[in-house]
mmCIF file of all heavy atoms in Angstrom:
data_model
loop_
_atom_site.group_PDB
_atom_site.id
_atom_site.type_symbol
_atom_site.label_atom_id
_atom_site.label_comp_id
_atom_site.label_asym_id
_atom_site.label_seq_id
_atom_site.Cartn_x
_atom_site.Cartn_y
_atom_site.Cartn_z
ATOM 1 N N TYR U 80 -11.704 45.609 24.699
ATOM 2 C CA TYR U 80 -11.720 45.582 26.187
ATOM 3 C C TYR U 80 -12.458 44.256 26.603
ATOM 4 O O TYR U 80 -13.211 43.743 25.696
ATOM 5 C CB TYR U 80 -12.454 46.820 26.773
ATOM 6 C CG TYR U 80 -13.875 47.021 26.457
ATOM 7 C CD1 TYR U 80 -14.975 46.510 27.146
ATOM 8 C CD2 TYR U 80 -14.297 47.642 25.168
ATOM 9 C CE1 TYR U 80 -16.221 46.615 26.769
ATOM 10 C CE2 TYR U 80 -15.583 47.743 24.810
ATOM 11 C CZ TYR U 80 -16.585 47.244 25.607
ATOM 12 O OH TYR U 80 -17.896 47.301 25.375
ATOM 13 N N PHE U 81 -12.214 43.869 27.754
ATOM 14 C CA PHE U 81 -12.862 42.606 28.215
ATOM 15 C C PHE U 81 -14.112 42.805 28.939
ATOM 16 O O PHE U 81 -14.096 43.738 29.967
ATOM 17 C CB PHE U 81 -11.925 41.842 29.047
ATOM 18 C CG PHE U 81 -10.708 41.214 28.401
ATOM 19 C CD1 PHE U 81 -9.472 41.616 28.306
ATOM 20 C CD2 PHE U 81 -11.019 40.003 27.673
ATOM 21 C CE1 PHE U 81 -8.477 41.036 27.660
ATOM 22 C CE2 PHE U 81 -9.966 39.288 26.919
ATOM 23 C CZ PHE U 81 -8.584 39.855 26.983
ATOM 24 N N TYR U 82 -15.161 42.144 28.693
ATOM 25 C CA TYR U 82 -16.377 42.326 29.536
ATOM 26 C C TYR U 82 -17.253 41.160 29.035
ATOM 27 O O TYR U 82 -17.219 40.833 27.763
ATOM 28 C CB TYR U 82 -17.216 43.621 29.410
ATOM 29 C CG TYR U 82 -17.955 43.846 30.585
ATOM 30 C CD1 TYR U 82 -17.340 43.990 31.812
ATOM 31 C CD2 TYR U 82 -19.348 43.997 30.591
ATOM 32 C CE1 TYR U 82 -18.050 44.311 33.045
ATOM 33 C CE2 TYR U 82 -20.088 44.203 31.755
ATOM 34 C CZ TYR U 82 -19.464 44.298 32.992
ATOM 35 O OH TYR U 82 -20.227 44.584 34.030
ATOM 36 N N PRO U 83 -17.844 40.397 29.864
ATOM 37 C CA PRO U 83 -18.718 39.273 29.536
ATOM 38 C C PRO U 83 -19.781 39.493 28.487
ATOM 39 O O PRO U 83 -20.144 38.599 27.780
ATOM 40 C CB PRO U 83 -19.200 38.773 30.871
ATOM 41 C CG PRO U 83 -18.488 39.421 31.939
ATOM 42 C CD PRO U 83 -17.993 40.547 31.436
ATOM 43 N N ASP U 84 -20.256 40.796 28.390
ATOM 44 C CA ASP U 84 -21.299 40.968 27.373
ATOM 45 C C ASP U 84 -20.678 41.288 25.998
ATOM 46 O O ASP U 84 -21.363 41.580 25.050
ATOM 47 C CB ASP U 84 -22.303 42.164 27.862
ATOM 48 C CG ASP U 84 -21.486 43.435 27.962
ATOM 49 O OD1 ASP U 84 -20.367 43.669 27.480
ATOM 50 O OD2 ASP U 84 -22.254 44.453 28.391
ATOM 51 N N LEU U 85 -19.372 41.267 25.954
ATOM 52 C CA LEU U 85 -18.711 41.571 24.668
ATOM 53 C C LEU U 85 -17.943 40.298 24.183
ATOM 54 O O LEU U 85 -16.813 40.039 24.474
ATOM 55 C CB LEU U 85 -17.681 42.721 24.879
ATOM 56 C CG LEU U 85 -17.077 43.402 23.645
ATOM 57 C CD1 LEU U 85 -18.123 44.083 22.877
ATOM 58 C CD2 LEU U 85 -15.878 44.195 24.052
ATOM 59 N N PRO U 86 -18.569 39.502 23.260
ATOM 60 C CA PRO U 86 -18.063 38.119 23.002
ATOM 61 C C PRO U 86 -16.663 38.097 22.334
ATOM 62 O O PRO U 86 -16.012 37.088 22.730
ATOM 63 C CB PRO U 86 -19.174 37.649 22.022
ATOM 64 C CG PRO U 86 -20.356 38.439 22.258
ATOM 65 C CD PRO U 86 -19.916 39.800 22.715
ATOM 66 N N LYS U 87 -16.365 39.019 21.622
ATOM 67 C CA LYS U 87 -15.153 38.981 20.829
ATOM 68 C C LYS U 87 -14.017 39.487 21.670
ATOM 69 O O LYS U 87 -12.797 39.450 21.266
ATOM 70 C CB LYS U 87 -15.162 39.685 19.440
ATOM 71 C CG LYS U 87 -16.304 39.042 18.568
ATOM 72 C CD LYS U 87 -16.208 39.589 17.216
ATOM 73 C CE LYS U 87 -16.607 41.010 17.142
ATOM 74 N NZ LYS U 87 -17.977 41.392 17.526
ATOM 75 N N GLY U 88 -14.311 40.188 22.750
ATOM 76 C CA GLY U 88 -13.251 40.864 23.425
ATOM 77 C C GLY U 88 -12.938 42.296 22.841
ATOM 78 O O GLY U 88 -12.016 42.929 23.173
ATOM 79 N N TYR U 89 -13.673 42.658 21.768
ATOM 80 C CA TYR U 89 -13.583 43.881 21.090
ATOM 81 C C TYR U 89 -14.924 44.234 20.617
ATOM 82 O O TYR U 89 -15.568 43.395 20.249
ATOM 83 C CB TYR U 89 -12.401 43.930 20.154
ATOM 84 C CG TYR U 89 -12.575 43.006 18.909
ATOM 85 C CD1 TYR U 89 -13.341 43.324 17.966
ATOM 86 C CD2 TYR U 89 -11.762 41.782 19.063
ATOM 87 C CE1 TYR U 89 -13.324 42.301 16.793
ATOM 88 C CE2 TYR U 89 -11.752 40.817 17.899
ATOM 89 C CZ TYR U 89 -12.670 41.200 16.796
ATOM 90 O OH TYR U 89 -12.594 40.248 15.834
ATOM 91 N N GLN U 90 -15.061 45.515 20.474
ATOM 92 C CA GLN U 90 -16.385 46.059 19.832
ATOM 93 C C GLN U 90 -16.054 46.560 18.476
ATOM 94 O O GLN U 90 -14.988 47.278 18.315
ATOM 95 C CB GLN U 90 -16.970 47.154 20.644
ATOM 96 C CG GLN U 90 -18.201 47.751 20.105
ATOM 97 C CD GLN U 90 -18.705 49.009 20.720
ATOM 98 O OE1 GLN U 90 -17.812 49.771 21.234
ATOM 99 N NE2 GLN U 90 -19.947 49.369 20.683
ATOM 100 N N ILE U 91 -16.723 46.210 17.475
ATOM 101 C CA ILE U 91 -16.428 46.778 16.099
ATOM 102 C C ILE U 91 -17.136 48.156 16.080
ATOM 103 O O ILE U 91 -18.450 48.248 16.228
ATOM 104 C CB ILE U 91 -16.862 45.792 14.984
ATOM 105 C CG1 ILE U 91 -16.231 44.475 15.032
ATOM 106 C CG2 ILE U 91 -16.557 46.522 13.639
ATOM 107 C CD1 ILE U 91 -16.666 43.510 14.057
#
Side-chain angles (χ1 to χ4, degrees):
Chain U
Y80 65 96
F81 285 105
Y82 205 61
D84 66 6
L85 190 70
K87 299 185 295 299
Y89 56 83
Q90 179 195 27
I91 303 177

